């Protein structure tokens, strides 16, 4: 039931950490251990589709996972996108695509749901559908987001990339994290600073 949010400036390593957890990238040192049989659902920040592949939403959602049409239709209805079931993926709107990506991640019935910037380019209705789906999700979630209102409403823990290769673990939502950051680092701690890199 935990919703862990990764926050920090662009280029700090949030998406890289997520790709390592998902096994899409190898760590330069150390290792990632997942419980045996753990199922992961992933909603990427960007989706690049081959325009020469005429995929319908139904086919796209079930790629690599045999699932009956009724199951896909029910999942799309849950996230407010039932009307695009037979549409070509390339023909749907950005908001509809976000809903389809969420349905695709949920189809695998994951224990851990990983969402990379899920609120980008969403209209209010889609954002509400996304929040409801995350609140109803029985497993844990890792979310990368810059949307402070979304984080205030949903996250239970924060992993904050604060610069100079320091990562802070915090229990609570974004508002509570900011108050703690000011307490730890002083009143100018909330001012954006240029990312500095150093070797781990």
């Amino acid at each position: 039931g935990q919703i862990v949010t990764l926050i920090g400036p662009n280029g700090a390593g949030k998406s890289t950490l997520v790709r390592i957890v998902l096994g899409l990238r190898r760590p330069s040192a150390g290792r990632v251990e997942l419980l045996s049989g753990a199922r992961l659902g992933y909603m990427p920040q960007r989706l690049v589709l081959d325009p020469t592949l005429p995929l319908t939403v139904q086919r796209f959602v079930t790629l690599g996972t045999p699932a009956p049409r009724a199951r896909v239709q029910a999942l799309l209805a849950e996230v407010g996108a039932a009307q695009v079931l037979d549409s070509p993926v390339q023909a749907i709107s950005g908001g509809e695509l976000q809903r389809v990506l969420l349905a695709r991640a949920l189809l695998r019935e994951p224990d851990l749901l990983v969402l990379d910037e899920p609120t980008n380019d969403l209209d209010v209705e889609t954002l509400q559908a996304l929040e409801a789906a995350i609140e109803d999700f029985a497993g844990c979630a890792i979310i990368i987001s810059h949307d402070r209102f979304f984080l205030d409403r949903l996250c239970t823990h924060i992993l904050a990339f604060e610069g100079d290769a320091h990562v802070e673990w915090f229990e609570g939502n974004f508002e509570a994290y900011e108050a703690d950051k000011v307490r730890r680092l002083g009143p100018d701690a909330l001012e954006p600073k240029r990312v500095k890199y150093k070797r781990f």
Side-chain angles (χ1 to χ4, degrees):
Q2 293 183 349
I3 300 173
V4 179
T5 303
L6 276 59
I7 63 170
N10 290 334
K14 303 180 300 294
S15 293
T16 299
L17 176 60
V18 160
R19 289 188 192 108
I20 289 171
V21 169
L22 291 167
L24 301 174
R25 185 168 177 169
R26 293 177 61 93
S28 54
R31 67 183 187 275
V32 174
E33 291 183 23
L34 295 175
L35 287 174
S36 177
R39 296 183 306 273
L40 305 179
Y42 177 47
M43 182 178 168
Q45 182 176 356
R46 287 181 204 84
L47 180 68
V48 180
L49 290 171
D50 183 345
T52 64
L53 288 177
L55 283 176
T56 64
V57 167
Q58 155 78 21
R59 177 109 193 279
F60 171 70
V61 170
T62 58
L63 279 176
T65 306
R69 180 181 173 87
R71 171 76 175 125
V72 177
Q73 198 163 16
L75 263 178
L76 288 171
E78 274 181 44
V79 297
Q83 73 282 0
V84 300
L85 180 69
D86 295 311
S87 302
V89 176
Q90 291 87 344
I92 63 178
S93 71
E96 288 169 336
L97 179 59
Q98 290 290 82
R99 294 178 190 213
V100 166
L101 287 171
L102 180 59
R104 184 177 184 215
L106 292 171
L107 180 68
R108 279 115 183 112
E109 297 183 351
D111 305 298
L112 175 64
L113 187 60
V114 181
L115 311 175
D116 193 348
E117 295 288 359
T119 63
N120 283 358
D121 307 316
L122 293 189
D123 56 63
V124 173
E125 188 179 322
T126 305
L127 184 58
Q128 289 171 342
L130 175 65
E131 287 181 4
I134 293 170
E135 284 178 336
D136 292 342
F137 180 62
C140 294
I142 296 176
I143 303 171
I144 298 174
S145 181
H146 289 95
D147 184 336
R148 67 169 295 141
F149 302 107
F150 178 76
L151 301 181
D152 275 340
R153 287 189 292 271
L154 290 176
C155 74
T156 62
H157 296 74
I158 290 178
L159 193 63
F161 290 65
E162 293 185 342
D164 295 327
H166 175 72
V167 180
E168 184 74 17
W169 173 252
F170 181 79
E171 284 193 40
N173 69 4
F174 186 74
E175 185 178 8
Y177 161 75
E178 279 198 327
D180 179 71
K181 187 175 181 182
V182 168
R183 182 190 58 73
R184 286 184 292 112
L185 304 175
D188 67 336
L190 302 183
E191 293 298 316
K193 295 176 180 64
R194 188 173 176 87
V195 178
K196 296 178 185 175
Y197 298 94
K198 72 179 182 182
R199 293 180 66 84
F200 285 100

